[in-house]
Amino acid sequence: MSWDTVRLEWDDTVATLTVDRPDALNALNVDTLEAMSEAIAEAAAEDARALVLTGAGDAFIAGADIKYMQDLSAEAAQEWGELGHEVANALEAFPAPTIAAVNGYAFGGGCEMALACDLRVAAESALIGNTEIDLGIIPGWGATQRLPRLVGDETARRMIFLGERLDADSAAEAGLFGEVVADDDLADVVSELADRLAAKPAFAMWTAKQAINQGQEGSQGSGLAYEKRAFASLFGTHDQREGMAAFVEDREPEFE
Ligand code: CAA
């Protein structure tokens, strides 16, 4: 499929989803969110082993489209919120690892899409924040829940209450980015990371992701119980047997 404001491109088993609305700094409107939703589903259906999310031009995603939002009724805003949640949840539940390659502005809903990815790598010129408070609203696509889990309660409250726009190094220090790289190196660093992830055993990778997500959903106790079941369920699979045999036999594993 092809879309006007989203591109889905493949490099072997790694899919890259690029939000491509550079005139609006990749701000997300209804068409773009629906296209993202379809592209994510397509990447999953075609068994992507890693998915990269990035933005065209100099921005990652400058947020939800404020021009679209400004006259929304509360009822329409409910549907709008649900659409954004649907996309963020699809990223979170994607059956392979997802990486946000944060190449520039990641504000509001853009920050929230990055938060829904498994990993975040930023260009050194990137800026990120949940700036909604200065528009008289709050984060609407998951940041009130995902941000505190990632950076801790105090930092999340400061970011959301103050609408702070953090530079890449400060965001990394807060735990928002796993890595900050030179702007020109971002694509290569992310591509190498995606290739490394894609080469890992897919079922174990999916199971690890499910276990971590499950733990984030509920209490630590229910997460630990889930982890126990998930851990045991991998024993007896081809990849478990092969991975351990390869270690014992001191050779490279051949995963399914
Ligand atoms: N929505 C709609 N259009 C946007 C936009 C947004 N979030 N961000 C930028 N644009 C548009 C601008 O209106 C402008 O369009 P025109 O050329 O037609 O005027 C174009 O993109 C370029 O933007 P600027 O001229 O403002 O570029 P700049 O380099 O001077 O500033 C910026 C860049 C700092 C990112 C600034 O555009 C900005 O602050 N944008 C808004 C960021 C924001 O607050 N995002 C959060 C939105 S709320 C949200 O996301 C809610 C939610 O949780 C769901």
Side-chain angles (χ1 to χ4, degrees):
M1 252 198 271
S2 70
W3 306 271
D4 289 339
T5 55
V6 158
R7 284 186 274 125
L8 185 66
E9 288 152 324
W10 290 85
D11 179 8
D12 196 10
T13 58
V14 175
T16 297
L17 172 54
T18 305
V19 178
D20 189 7
R21 232 192 132 204
D23 290 348
L25 303 180
N26 306 320
L28 301 177
N29 60 13
V30 172
D31 284 351
T32 310
L33 285 170
E34 285 177 348
M36 285 176 79
S37 186
E38 288 173 10
I40 293 166
E42 185 171 309
E46 293 187 15
D47 287 333
R49 299 283 297 272
L51 175 69
V52 175
L53 174 66
T54 195
D58 295 335
F60 175 68
I61 297 169
D65 190 320
I66 300 167
K67 292 166 191 165
Y68 170 76
M69 280 189 298
Q70 65 176 332
D71 293 323
L72 287 186
S73 65
E75 199 181 25
Q78 171 92 24
E79 272 181 43
W80 170 241
E82 271 165 25
L83 182 57
H85 270 269
E86 190 184 301
V87 176
N89 290 344
L91 286 170
E92 189 170 72
F94 193 77
T98 53
I99 308 169
V102 181
N103 54 314
Y105 301 124
F107 295 139
C111 176
E112 290 172 299
M113 292 302 163
L115 289 172
C117 291
D118 294 307
L119 302 172
R120 284 152 291 280
V121 181
E124 62 190 351
S125 66
L127 291 173
I128 189 161
N130 278 104
T131 52
E132 291 89 345
I133 197 93
D134 293 322
L135 296 166
I137 57 172
I138 65 163
W141 297 343
T144 62
Q145 306 307 304
R146 292 190 178 105
L147 190 62
R149 285 171 165 80
L150 190 64
V151 301
D153 190 87
E154 169 83 15
T155 304
R157 282 175 201 262
R158 287 185 73 90
M159 286 180 66
I160 291 172
F161 291 175
L162 296 171
E164 284 179 338
R165 298 174 181 217
L166 301 185
D167 63 39
D169 285 333
S170 309
E173 212 170 299
L176 250 174
F177 295 140
E179 204 174 344
V180 177
V181 300
D183 292 7
D184 289 344
D185 294 341
L186 182 66
D188 286 346
V189 169
V190 169
S191 165
E192 195 192 319
L193 178 60
D195 287 345
R196 284 174 59 203
L197 292 164
K200 299 290 181 193
F203 186 55
M205 179 67 78
W206 178 83
T207 308
K209 178 167 171 168
Q210 296 297 311
I212 294 169
N213 286 356
Q214 180 74 25
Q216 301 281 6
E217 284 287 314
S219 66
Q220 180 167 300
S222 66
L224 292 174
Y226 183 90
E227 185 194 81
K228 276 189 265 179
R229 290 195 301 275
F231 178 74
S233 76
L234 288 170
F235 284 73
T237 61
H238 169 276
D239 288 345
Q240 178 263 326
R241 287 196 304 265
E242 170 62 11
M244 294 191 184
F247 174 80
V248 172
E249 292 158 20
D250 197 18
R251 61 173 173 80
E252 287 298 309
E254 284 180 33
F255 291 120
E256 254 180 4

